[in-house]
Amino acid sequence: QEIMTKRWFELLTKYNDELKVRTLGELIFGCEDKKYLKTEYGLTRYKTYGEKNRLTIVVLHGLGGNLDLFEGMAIDLAKKGFRVLSYDFYDRGCSETDRIKYPLGWFGRHPLKFTLSFHCLQLQQVLDALTDNDLILVGHSTGGAVALRYATSKKNRVKGLVLMDAVVLPPKKSLAAKIAEIPFLGDLVVKFFGASSFLQFCKQCVKDIARNRLHLEQTKNLLKKNPRFLAAMASTNRYCEGFTVSLLPEFIHFCSTAPKNNIPLTLIWGQNDSATPFSPHCQQLHSIAAKAYQSSSLYSYLPFPDTPHNVYFPDAKPNECTEAIAKLAANVLQSR
């Protein structure tokens, strides 16, 4: 399958000086208005909104997400006077790791380890190429883990942090996900049951399946047509901190220094989240943050009843999430 897909890819791909390329992801998401960067492990698709010299809000998607899911939020934030930058993680959306250098192995196993450092390197290279502005990081799910790690290590650059249903404590994993971590046996499970298991997970993350039919159909097509998509998620599940070990020490460290440096924090969570459950995940983080910020206006806490993991989706709380991010960004501007 990998050999056939690689051949198909080679026939369809056309490179030019502007990096306008046709990737397997583009066969599903379309090829219009796509911008790419050459990053260390392949191509990274990105998109920017708003004026270049404004405070930059960087939005990081979840495990199987992509930048298009934040389109509405990004447009609204740009209208409020901020610059927004989003990009696809490797082998998600339209970004791709180099298919020639990093071919999939037996049973579709990804040769690269998608650790948190791996994700943060991609983020750093995107930022190096596109902006030298101060940053606000907004991370959903896996993107929340990336945002937390980067904010903890780059305190001078990151001026605000928003975590939405973030993977800080190891998430609740299905039986299939747990078996997928076992060498060899896990590869077989991912190959034969990974796609259906992940699609079921995606349905559990939304409030209204009918209103999210396009997103679910795109995910289904990615799972069918791009084997690297599932392989990348399996590698993240196996190796990425947050999935494998708790990031609670890093969150505690962030909260111990952020209030002194006037760095605001917002926690946004769906109380019906089954992936990173509100209890204990958000409740534990809120307890730590509230104690550290001591009723400061720099800290905001937004738990939403009857709301699933994808808290910012159109059928959940998109406007509330956008307003919370804009409020935090306004605090950053006022503190300058």
Side-chain angles (χ1 to χ4, degrees):
Q1 183 185 17
E2 173 65 3
I3 294 173
M4 291 176 64
T5 306
K6 183 186 295 185
R7 179 58 180 161
W8 181 33
F9 174 83
E10 290 171 347
L11 289 172
L12 290 173
T13 300
K14 295 179 182 179
Y15 291 85
N16 63 29
D17 292 339
E18 292 78 29
L19 285 180
K20 293 178 181 178
V21 303
R22 182 176 295 276
T23 66
L24 289 180
E26 284 190 352
L27 297 177
I28 294 157
F29 293 100
C31 58
E32 297 81 12
D33 301 322
K34 298 294 189 294
K35 296 179 181 178
Y36 292 88
L37 294 170
K38 282 184 177 179
T39 43
E40 182 165 341
Y41 291 98
L43 291 174
T44 295
R45 178 205 172 194
Y46 71 93
K47 196 165 186 179
T48 58
Y49 310 77
E51 296 180 20
K52 190 173 183 179
N53 61 344
R54 301 296 180 89
L55 177 66
T56 301
I57 300 172
V58 182
V59 187
L60 305 168
H61 65 72
L63 178 66
N66 60 79
L67 67 82
D68 291 325
L69 299 175
F70 291 103
E71 181 85 10
M73 176 187 289
I75 291 173
D76 288 344
L77 289 170
K79 288 179 180 178
K80 294 178 184 294
F82 305 106
R83 189 184 192 221
V84 181
L85 165 62
S86 57
Y87 67 95
D88 292 333
F89 292 164
Y90 283 126
D91 293 320
R92 264 60 70 92
C94 292
S95 292
E96 285 191 346
T97 50
D98 190 304
R99 302 172 61 81
I100 306 302
K101 288 183 179 178
Y102 310 108
L104 300 187
W106 289 103
F107 306 116
R109 190 181 185 96
H110 209 295
L112 295 170
K113 293 183 179 180
F114 281 65
T115 63
L116 206 48
S117 296
F118 179 84
H119 283 94
C120 284
L121 176 61
Q122 184 187 21
L123 169 58
Q124 183 63 64
Q125 292 179 341
V126 169
L127 296 176
D128 287 345
L130 297 176
T131 181
D132 55 4
N133 297 345
D134 289 340
L135 307 173
I136 292 172
L137 298 184
V138 178
H140 173 253
S141 193
T142 306
V146 178
L148 175 60
R149 168 64 63 84
Y150 192 85
T152 304
S153 62
K154 303 289 183 179
K155 299 173 187 175
N156 294 332
R157 182 114 191 250
V158 178
K159 304 303 180 182
L161 178 63
V162 180
L163 300 179
M164 301 190 295
D165 296 83
V167 178
V168 178
L169 302 177
K172 183 179 180 181
K173 294 184 179 181
S174 66
L175 178 60
K178 292 177 181 177
I179 295 175
E181 298 173 358
I182 302 173
F184 303 114
L185 176 60
D187 295 327
L188 284 172
V189 170
V190 169
K191 181 175 177 61
F192 292 106
F193 303 105
S196 59
S197 178
F198 182 72
L199 196 59
Q200 183 60 35
F201 167 78
C202 289
K203 292 177 180 178
Q204 294 171 355
C205 289
V206 300
K207 191 173 184 179
D208 186 334
I209 291 178
R211 289 184 63 183
N212 289 280
R213 195 167 302 281
L214 175 61
H215 162 61
L216 295 173
E217 191 63 30
Q218 287 175 336
T219 301
K220 184 178 180 180
N221 285 333
L222 275 171
L223 290 166
K224 283 183 177 179
K225 297 179 180 180
N226 186 2
R228 302 181 81 81
F229 175 57
L230 182 60
M233 291 189 293
S235 181
T236 301
N237 180 69
R238 290 188 185 107
Y239 299 114
C240 187
E241 298 88 331
F243 286 85
T244 58
V245 296
S246 174
L247 294 177
L248 203 58
E250 294 187 38
F251 184 76
I252 292 172
H253 178 68
F254 175 84
C255 289
S256 71
T257 60
K260 303 172 188 176
N261 297 318
N262 292 319
I263 298 176
L265 168 68
T266 296
L267 295 180
I268 302 175
W269 228 274
Q271 291 185 331
N272 279 4
D273 187 343
S274 58
T276 53
F278 178 76
S279 176
H281 290 247
C282 185
Q283 289 182 337
Q284 192 166 352
L285 299 184
H286 170 57
S287 176
I288 294 166
K291 184 177 180 181
Y293 279 87
Q294 298 180 348
S295 301
S296 168
S297 61
L298 292 173
Y299 173 60
S300 298
Y301 170 58
L302 287 82
F304 292 116
D306 193 32
T307 305
H309 184 65
N310 291 340
V311 65
Y312 67 95
F313 269 34
D315 60 324
K317 301 293 181 181
N319 295 332
E320 292 85 347
C321 291
T322 300
E323 289 301 321
I325 296 167
K327 180 181 177 182
L328 179 142
N331 281 339
V332 171
L333 290 175
Q334 290 172 7
S335 67
R336 282 181 164 182

